[in-house]
Amino acid sequence: MSDFLDRLAAKRRFGMRPSLDAIRGICAALGDPQLKFRAIHVAGTNGKGAVCAILDACLRADGLRIGRYTSPHLVRINERFFLDGAPIADEVLERAADKVFHADSSSNSSSNSNSSSNSIYGLTFFEALTAVAFLVYAEAKVDYAVLETGLGGRLDATNVCRPELCVITKIGLDHCDWLGDTVEKIAAEKAGIIKKGVPIVLGNNDPAVVDVVKARASEVGAPFVYAPDVADESEIPGGFSLVGSFNRENAVTAIAALKTLGLTKGMADGLGNVVWPGRFQRVGRFIIDGAHNPPAARALAAALRKYAPFAGSVPTLVAGFCGDKDVDETLRILAPFVKKGIAVRTNNPRSLDPAELARKMESAGISAISCDSVQLALEKLGSVPKKTGSVPKCEAVDVLICGSLFLAGEALAALGAFPWQTDRFDAAEILKV
C-alpha cells in the first residue's frame, strides 16, 4: 500500500483546472468506466457527504449493490471508496490504481499540455482517485454509484459521469477563491453538474440559490425538484442514526432524491443505520464535528442550542483549521458556546499554524493556548483512553472538537471511537479538484 500512496503523493496538485480534458483522457484510455454504471451525482457546500451516506444506506437496504465515492477521508484513504457498505480493501484499491497509473504513463496523447515524462495527462491527486473510483465501481458492476463532487461541480473531475439523478445540497460561501464570492456564483458552479433530461433535486436553500439552480435546470431541460416541496422531517423515522438538525435537513434532501428515483422501499431501515462519523458525534465527554467553515459552524451552533449537551458547563474548544478557511468568522460563531480553547495542528499540509490559530481564538474572545496535535491536546485534558473503546459514558459534555474533518478523524481514532481501520493515517491532498 505504501507504494500506491507514494505514487499518489507524487501527483501534481493544481487549483481549479480550466477543463475536464485530463479526466476525460484517462477515462477514455481505461475504456470509459464512468459510463458503465448508473450514477447519483451530489454537489453542495455542506451536507453532500452526509446525503451520499444516507443514500448509500437506503439503497443497500433496498437490496441494491451500491458504491459510494466521497472526500476527504478522515483516517485512511480507503474511506473514500465504499462498496457494499464498507471501505474497499487495500488490494482492490491498489489493483485499480495500478491500472490508472499504467494508463497515465503509457497511453498516447497529443493534446495535453500538462504532460510530463512519466505522466500523459498530468492528473491531479483528486483526478487520479476519481478515475480509480470509476474503475472500482465499473468492475464491481454496482447498481448505483453515489458520487460526491470534490470542490465545485462544473469543472469537478466527477462531472464526466453519466448520472441518473443529480442532487445539490446546502450552498454557502466556501472556496471563494475558486468558485466565486457570492452564493449565486457558487450556486452556478455547483449547478454545472445538471444534465439535460436528468432530474435535479435541490435541498433547502436561500431563495437566491433556488433561483440560480432552477434557472439552470430550465436552461438545459432538466426536471427540477425542490426537496422541501416533496419531503419533510415527519418522514424521518424515530431511530434515525445521525444527530443534529442539519442532518435532519440532509435526510429530507435524501428522501426527496429517493422519491424522485422511485426507490423508497429501504428508506426506513437505511435511515436507521447510517454511519457517518465526525458529524456532531458524541463520544463520552466530547462532541466531535467536522465543521470547518461559517455555514457548517452555524449548523453546529444550531445543533448545540437545540440539543444542549453541556448541562450547564462551559466546554473547552479543541480546534484546528486549514489555512484557506474563514477561520475568524467560524470562531466568532462558535465563541458564545465556549470559554477556553486549545489550538492544534491538523493532519493536512494546509493546516493553520497552532500559534496563529490561538491568536485568532483570543481575538474572538476565547482564552487559548496552542498545542502541536489533537493527541497532545487530549493528553492535556486527561482524555486519551488506555484501550480502544474505553471512553467512559458521562452525563455532560465539556469538550467540543471541530475545525476539520481530518481533526475529527484524529480525535475519534485517539479516543478509540472510529468505526473503521486506524492502523495508519494517510495524507490528504492539498486541494480537491
Side-chain angles (χ1 to χ4, degrees), residues 150-226:
L151 191 153
R154 181 174 62 94
L155 296 176
D156 190 83
T158 58
N159 203 26
V160 298
C161 70
R162 178 180 287 168
E164 187 163 306
L165 178 71
C166 296
V167 180
I168 297 177
T169 63
K170 198 79 168 183
I171 300 292
L173 293 175
D174 197 18
H175 295 296
C176 295
D177 289 347
W178 303 107
L179 304 178
D181 57 2
T182 68
V183 291
E184 291 88 350
K185 290 177 182 177
I186 293 173
E189 284 294 328
K190 307 286 187 183
I193 70 169
I194 299 174
K195 307 289 191 299
K196 181 179 180 179
V198 178
I200 169 67
V201 173
L202 175 66
N204 184 42
N205 265 284
D206 292 340
V209 171
V210 177
D211 289 345
V212 169
V213 176
K214 194 172 185 179
R216 179 59 181 168
S218 177
E219 180 184 345
V220 304
F224 175 81
V225 179
Y226 190 46

Side-chain angles (χ1 to χ4, degrees), residues 72-76 79 277-279 281 288-290 346-347 374-375 378 401-422 424-425:
H73 57 274
L74 275 65
V75 177
R76 298 169 89 246
E79 298 157 30
R279 282 78 173 181
Q281 184 174 350
I288 301 170
D289 190 85
T346 67
N347 183 31
V374 70
Q375 177 78 18
L378 292 175
I401 301 178
C402 70
S404 164
L405 284 170
F406 308 114
L407 186 73
E410 290 180 77
L412 288 170
L415 294 170
F418 197 66
W420 306 303
Q421 283 183 265
T422 58
R424 64 172 193 266
F425 282 85

Side-chain angles (χ1 to χ4, degrees), residues 305-385:
R305 281 191 292 268
K306 181 172 182 178
Y307 295 96
F310 301 125
S313 65
V314 180
T316 297
L317 173 66
V318 177
F321 292 86
C322 290
D324 60 345
K325 302 300 179 184
D326 187 349
V327 175
D328 295 312
E329 177 64 8
T330 301
L331 289 173
R332 187 193 67 77
I333 294 166
L334 296 176
F337 299 92
V338 299
K339 184 176 182 180
K340 298 183 294 183
I342 303 177
V344 301
R345 191 182 307 278
T346 67
N347 183 31
N348 188 292
R350 289 182 286 128
S351 179
L352 189 64
D353 180 76
E356 182 179 353
L357 176 55
R359 289 191 290 271
K360 288 180 177 291
M361 285 182 173
E362 294 280 355
S363 296
I366 304 168
S367 175
I369 61 172
S370 62
C371 195
D372 201 51
S373 71
V374 70
Q375 177 78 18
L376 291 174
L378 292 175
E379 289 175 6
K380 284 181 179 291
L381 294 167
S383 304
V384 179

Side-chain angles (χ1 to χ4, degrees), residues 39-118:
I40 301 170
H41 201 193
V42 183
T45 303
N46 292 108
K48 59 186 184 293
V51 168
C52 288
I54 295 168
L55 289 173
D56 179 4
C58 293
L59 292 170
R60 283 187 292 106
D62 210 346
L64 301 174
R65 187 168 210 206
I66 304 299
R68 186 222 306 171
Y69 176 55
T70 58
S71 57
H73 57 274
L74 275 65
V75 177
R76 298 169 89 246
I77 203 165
N78 309 57
E79 298 157 30
R80 296 172 181 246
F81 312 90
F82 263 61
L83 181 62
D84 299 328
I88 62 173
D90 284 353
E91 55 268 26
V92 175
L93 179 53
E94 288 176 316
R95 187 164 58 245
D98 281 343
K99 293 179 182 179
V100 171
F101 291 141
H102 178 74
D104 191 26
S105 62
S106 63
S107 298
N108 294 318
S109 175
S110 60
S111 60
N112 178 39
S113 61
N114 287 323
S115 61
S116 61
S117 59
N118 63 352

Side-chain angles (χ1 to χ4, degrees), residues 235-250:
E235 298 175 82
I236 302 173
F240 183 42
S241 61
L242 302 183
V243 180
S245 53
F246 53 92
N247 275 323
R248 297 186 71 81
E249 186 173 283
N250 292 331

